[in-house]
Amino acid sequence: RRTQAYCTALGKVLLAYQSPSAVDTYLASVDLKPLTHNTITSAEALRAELKKIRTQGYAHDNEEMLVDHACVGAPIRDHTGYVIAALSIAGLIDRFSVYGFDHLVIKVEDTARAISRDLGFSG
């Protein structure tokens, strides 16, 4: 299924590593409408979230697209270091609690790094 980038971990990862002008173009073309009570609905809040994602290296969707669902995503880089894709795991929030959020973040980041290394990224 297709959905907007602003409300998913995968989409936010891909947006976070775009140029500021590409993010501006995206924001000019999208209506940041609420899908749930946690959906980011302002350009300023989304820009702050994208900055946080670049700093921490992963994105989190906490009921932003679907109630009771969460997602964690991390970037996949090519041999030049450019983010070309993202990897995520998604599921019911109570399952995230069972496995532990921090544990799942580590697994997603480790897997994304392994794929990036397979693509020639050495950073």
Side-chain angles (χ1 to χ4, degrees):
R1 132 176 87 178
R2 290 185 63 168
T3 190
Q4 287 293 337
Y6 71 92
C7 59
T8 67
L10 284 174
K12 291 189 295 183
V13 165
L14 295 174
L15 284 172
Y17 293 95
Q18 294 297 309
S19 68
S21 63
V23 173
D24 290 343
T25 299
Y26 174 76
L27 288 171
S29 70
V30 69
D31 178 19
L32 300 176
K33 60 184 169 188
L35 302 175
T36 72
H37 60 282
N38 283 346
T39 307
I40 295 172
T41 58
S42 80
E44 297 78 26
L46 183 57
R47 286 180 203 283
E49 179 76 0
L50 299 179
K51 181 178 179 181
K52 178 180 170 186
I53 292 164
R54 285 189 304 275
T55 300
Q56 67 191 11
Y58 68 90
H60 179 221
D61 159 9
N62 181 27
E63 295 185 280
E64 292 172 47
M65 188 177 85
L66 295 169
V67 174
D68 295 328
H69 287 75
C71 185
V72 174
I76 295 174
R77 298 172 184 275
D78 69 8
H79 68 283
T80 68
Y82 186 75
V83 173
I84 58 166
L87 171 87
S88 74
I89 55 172
L92 296 171
I93 285 181
D94 64 343
R95 302 311 296 167
F96 272 64
S97 299
V98 168
Y99 292 102
F101 178 77
D102 292 337
H103 172 74
L104 294 174
V105 168
I106 290 167
K107 292 296 185 184
V108 169
E109 288 180 314
D110 288 349
T111 303
R113 271 193 295 274
I115 293 169
S116 297
R117 277 193 305 275
D118 287 348
L119 294 173
F121 180 63
S122 62

